[in-house]
Every structure is written in C-alpha cells, then in structure tokens.
Amino acid sequence: MNDRSALRPRLLAALGAAVLLTSCSSAGGGDHRTTDGRASHWGKGMGAPEASAFMKVAVPESATEVEGAVQINPQEDIYLLSFVTDEETAVRVAEDLRPEKPLRSRNQDLPAPTELFGHLGLAEPQSEKGVRWAGVCPPCVGDSRRSEVQWIEIHVLELAVGTTRVYIQAF
C-alpha cells in the first residue's frame, strides 16, 4: 500500500466531517454561509401556518401565543412551531406524533441548545428547567401523514398551573 492510498480514507473522512459540521453547525441565528457560498436564512412571511402544514400538526383552537418560523437551509429546512395551551392538550399533541417513548425529562447528556426558538423571542426549550420532550422519526414509525418529515421533536414546559408551552421542531 503506498502513501497516497493510505491517506485517501483519512482525507475522505476529514472531508465528510467538514461537510457535516458546516451543515449542522449553522442551525442557529441568522444568515450563515456554507463553504460553497449558500446561506441559511429565515423564510420571509413563513410562520406558524407553514410550520404547522409541514409538520401536519394542528394548532389547538384554544391555543394562545402561537408562533412559528421556517429556517431555510442549503440541505434541510427547519420548521418551528410554539403555542401555549393546557397540559392535557399538550400531551395529546405529543402522543399524536407517535413517539416510541412518552414525554420525559432529559436529565443527562443534554444537547447544546441551538438558537432557533430565540428567533421567535422564546428561550430554547432544552435550557428550561422541568421541560419534558419526545422525539420521533415519522418514516421510521410508519406515520404516513408525515412522510416528508425526517425528524420531529416536541418539548412541553409547564408555565403555571393549567398553562403549558409547547415547542415543536421538525426537519
């Protein structure tokens, strides 16, 4: 094996890691450029109705403080939806996503909070004490309603007795 052929797998691995870091690390804030000049940005005029339609999540009629946004990215767009409702409705919305496990606390190995919901003027759900979450890959669980959604997760945070904020993120 010559030096060139031994170097090739390491070079490809480094290139693959760079591509992943470029695409995934730009999930936060404003306008981010990839190495080829493409940028991520927030979709103008795209809010809760567009996010709700993509996720196939009906915002409860009684919900208040409904917010949404779409971050347009070179590889996968990120859809955000948030609203305030009662606990029972929040749990029902979570169950409708068909996660393999019910809403639960995530006490260890918390992912670093992204800065997505900050665009909506909200704290990032992962940074909130007492938040519960569930996540699901709709195609993996046979949810044909959401066949275009690769991943969807919900965070539920009790704000006060009888009042719960729901955060939903999908791509």
Side-chain angles (χ1 to χ4, degrees):
M1 187 178 220
N2 65 32
D3 288 340
R4 265 189 144 163
S5 62
L7 203 72
R8 191 172 297 141
R10 281 187 266 162
L11 183 60
L12 288 174
L15 180 61
V19 168
L20 281 174
L21 286 173
T22 301
S23 65
C24 296
S25 67
S26 66
D31 186 20
H32 298 281
R33 298 221 174 262
T34 62
T35 54
D36 64 0
R38 295 179 294 163
S40 65
H41 61 277
W42 293 103
K44 290 185 180 184
M46 299 179 81
E50 290 77 14
S52 174
F54 175 76
M55 297 176 187
K56 305 289 192 277
V57 171
V59 175
E61 287 185 30
S62 61
T64 61
E65 300 180 38
V66 178
E67 300 284 343
V70 180
Q71 186 183 61
I72 309 299
N73 292 301
Q75 292 186 342
E76 293 176 320
D77 297 340
I78 298 173
Y79 295 78
L80 305 176
L81 181 63
S82 181
F83 52 86
V84 174
T85 189
D86 61 86
E87 173 72 13
E88 184 179 318
T89 302
V91 169
R92 206 170 34 248
V93 170
E95 289 171 348
D96 183 60
L97 298 178
R98 300 181 185 169
E100 293 179 2
K101 295 180 181 178
L103 286 169
R104 62 202 176 278
S105 295
R106 198 189 284 192
N107 294 329
Q108 65 236 9
D109 300 325
L110 288 173
T114 56
E115 295 189 21
L116 295 170
F117 284 94
H119 178 73
L120 301 176
L122 301 170
E124 300 305 322
Q126 305 94 315
S127 66
E128 295 289 330
K129 187 175 181 174
V131 72
R132 294 173 295 144
W133 80 282
V136 65
C137 162
C140 301
V141 297
D143 187 351
S144 60
R145 301 168 299 165
R146 297 182 179 96
S147 61
E148 292 185 26
V149 178
Q150 297 304 306
W151 178 255
I152 189 167
E153 66 182 48
I154 185 168
H155 290 87
V156 174
L157 177 65
E158 183 178 35
L159 301 174
V161 176
T163 307
T164 302
R165 176 168 298 282
V166 175
Y167 302 80
I168 308 173
Q169 175 180 334
F171 61 86

